[in-house]
Amino acid sequence: MGAKESKAAFRKLDEMQQDYTARENSILELATRSWENLKNKVDNTSLYERIAIESRDFVEIILFNVIKLYPHTGISGAAADNEINILFRIYLRHLSINYCKRICPKR
């Protein structure tokens, strides 16, 4: 990877980290508001829906980012005990299980 590609990769990583922090803060703020509502006996239905939607979107983005970052990890990323490799293998296993559930005949 050349210097230009490295700078672009680090910029993308920085964007991912900033997005992660913003999403995390948003979900934590919603959770704090729901806790306050519970203490004050205020209905949380709409907050729970937002928390659910934002949490699912967050997990989807994390998985997408892991897939985007994995090729940049090189040999160290391929090590069996490397965290990103573990996440990548778990994700692939999850995909293959769900795919099989859809197309494999039931026994």
Side-chain angles (χ1 to χ4, degrees):
M1 183 183 306
K4 210 175 213 181
E5 291 93 5
S6 290
K7 285 183 181 181
F10 278 110
R11 265 195 307 277
K12 188 63 185 166
L13 179 60
D14 187 52
E15 289 171 13
M16 289 176 182
Q17 289 172 327
Q18 289 178 25
D19 180 62
Y20 178 95
T21 300
R23 289 174 186 273
E24 179 183 39
N25 289 339
S26 177
I27 291 169
L28 290 173
E29 173 62 29
L30 291 171
T32 300
R33 285 177 40 206
S34 75
W35 182 249
E36 291 300 318
N37 285 352
L38 278 174
K39 290 194 297 188
N40 297 321
K41 300 186 187 317
V42 175
D43 182 41
N44 270 328
T45 303
S46 64
L47 276 177
Y48 291 156
E49 289 172 8
R50 284 189 56 202
I51 290 169
I53 290 167
E54 288 191 30
S55 297
R56 282 190 214 100
D57 288 347
F58 195 16
V59 170
E60 186 177 330
I61 290 296
I62 290 170
L63 289 172
F64 179 74
N65 288 343
V66 166
I67 291 167
K68 283 179 88 171
L69 291 172
Y70 188 70
H72 298 286
T73 62
I75 293 295
S76 65
D81 62 343
N82 185 289
E83 291 87 355
I84 199 164
N85 188 351
I86 294 167
L87 284 172
F88 194 72
R89 287 192 326 257
I90 290 169
Y91 178 66
L92 289 178
R93 189 175 316 125
H94 172 76
L95 284 179
S96 63
I97 289 169
N98 285 335
Y99 179 74
C100 187
K101 284 181 180 177
R102 285 194 297 261
I103 66 164
C104 296
K106 296 195 190 250
R107 296 179 183 188

